[in-house]
């Protein structure tokens, strides 16, 4: 199946700093990628839809100025958490649909962000 | 709106069967099932497309009732490795339509 990678897998940072998370589709092109956030013992919540060549679409309640998304190419989307605070500590996961007949979405391995 | 799963949690002995339900308030194009282990990303199990299909293999299967906007995941003769949190994900369209995850069901299998 298709492969989606994320980097870094874990990051610890101080409050007030910015953190960039990369999501790459390794063997297929993705015009769209999705960014999810998951707090402990909760479900995955969609934060935004990343669109290659255009602005990201944010879900209600997600601050677009805080969570900057850039879909630089057909295989790379980045999520930057700006001025991170402890409440931003979470598990961030990206996914990408392959667009094939199976309608499947492939998920990255996730990034664990801890803000001190 | 987020699909609702039931039960929220279930504990089974190895070899017992389980059914996990997923219900949406909106019309669906597809239902996706995932299993997530603690600290890991969700692992894809299967997709069901509208049309009322049922699919899966011998021990893990699922059905999708398009009219009722419901899907059920069936785990037969559960194994210890089945432990984890199960999520359904629903899509209202094809292609780049977003996937909305359900509330989750925590399954614990004990020897």
């Amino acid at each position: 199946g298709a492969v989606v990678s994320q980097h870094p897998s874990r990051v610890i940072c101080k409050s007030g700093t910015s953190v960039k998370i990369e999501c790459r589709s390794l063997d297929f092109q993705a015009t769209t990628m999705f960014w999810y956030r998951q707090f402990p013992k909760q479900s995955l919540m969609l934060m935004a839809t990343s669109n290659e060549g255009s602005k990201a679409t944010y879900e209600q309640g997600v601050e677009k100025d805080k969570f900057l998304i850039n879909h630089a190419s057909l295989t790379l989307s980045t999520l930057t958490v700006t001025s991170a605070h402890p409440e931003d500590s979470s598990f961030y996961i990206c996914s990408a649909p392959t667009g094939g007949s199976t309608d499947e979405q492939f998920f990255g391995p996730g990034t664990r962000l801890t803000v001190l | 709106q987020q699909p609702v799963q039931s039960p929220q949690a279930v504990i089974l002995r190895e070899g017992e069967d389980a059914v996990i339900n997923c219900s949406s308030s909106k019309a669906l194009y597809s239902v996706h099932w995932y299993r997530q282990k603690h600290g890991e990303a969700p692992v894809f199990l299967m997709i069901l497309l509208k049309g009322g299909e049922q699919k899966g293999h011998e021990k893990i299967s699922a059905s999708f009732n398009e009219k009722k906007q419901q899907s059920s995941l069936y785990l037969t003769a559960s194994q210890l490795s089945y432990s984890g949190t199960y999520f359904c994900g629903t899509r209202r369209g094809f292609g780049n339509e977003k996937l909305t995850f359900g509330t989750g069901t925590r399954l614990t299998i004990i020897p």
Side-chain angles (χ1 to χ4, degrees):
Chain A
V3 178
V4 175
S5 70
Q6 270 185 252
H7 178 80
S9 58
R10 289 180 178 272
V11 58
I12 300 173
C13 68
K14 292 183 179 181
S15 185
T17 60
S18 294
V19 175
K20 180 184 284 188
I21 303 171
E22 293 186 348
C23 177
R24 293 181 184 271
S25 57
L26 297 185
D27 52 359
F28 66 101
Q29 293 183 333
T31 56
T32 299
M33 291 184 177
F34 300 97
W35 287 96
Y36 294 85
R37 177 170 56 182
Q38 185 178 34
F39 293 108
K41 297 187 178 182
Q42 294 186 23
S43 183
L44 288 81
M45 300 304 294
L46 182 66
M47 298 176 65
T49 302
S50 174
N51 304 299
E52 192 270 336
S54 63
K55 291 183 179 180
T57 306
Y58 290 82
E59 295 298 302
Q60 193 172 9
V62 177
E63 300 174 58
K64 61 180 182 181
D65 294 331
K66 181 170 181 61
F67 298 98
L68 301 180
I69 291 173
N70 181 30
H71 202 129
S73 72
L74 287 172
T75 59
L76 173 64
S77 174
T78 59
L79 168 67
T80 301
V81 183
T82 63
S83 186
H85 291 283
E87 57 265 29
D88 298 323
S89 298
S90 189
F91 192 45
Y92 293 85
I93 309 174
C94 69
S95 74
T98 59
S101 59
T102 60
D103 194 42
E104 187 172 347
Q105 282 200 27
F106 291 89
F107 283 79
T111 297
R112 176 76 58 190
L113 171 63
T114 303
V115 184
L116 303 176
Chain B
Q1 195 167 4
Q2 187 177 30
V4 177
Q5 289 181 231
S6 62
Q8 290 185 350
V10 58
I11 300 174
L12 296 177
R13 290 198 177 276
E14 198 173 4
E16 293 182 333
D17 301 340
V19 179
I20 299 172
N21 301 301
C22 173
S23 182
S24 172
S25 60
K26 299 181 185 294
L28 302 175
Y29 172 79
S30 62
V31 179
H32 308 221
W33 284 98
Y34 292 85
R35 176 171 58 215
Q36 186 179 32
K37 302 276 187 180
H38 181 68
E40 300 177 7
V43 172
F44 170 76
L45 295 176
M46 66 186 74
I47 288 176
L48 299 101
L49 302 179
K50 67 178 183 177
E53 64 174 337
Q54 181 162 354
K55 66 188 299 184
H57 51 77
E58 192 177 301
K59 294 192 172 182
I60 301 178
S61 62
S63 63
F64 176 25
N65 188 321
E66 177 188 353
K67 290 182 179 178
K68 292 185 177 180
Q69 297 154 192
Q70 295 175 344
S71 178
S72 295
L73 182 71
Y74 308 94
L75 305 170
T76 305
S78 56
Q79 305 169 8
L80 293 175
S81 61
Y82 287 3
S83 291
T85 301
Y86 289 77
F87 293 101
C88 65
T90 59
R91 295 179 75 181
R92 301 187 64 196
F94 182 70
N96 295 330
E97 181 72 19
K98 65 184 180 183
L99 186 67
T100 302
F101 280 87
T103 50
T105 296
R106 176 171 289 187
L107 176 65
T108 304
I109 308 296
I110 57 177

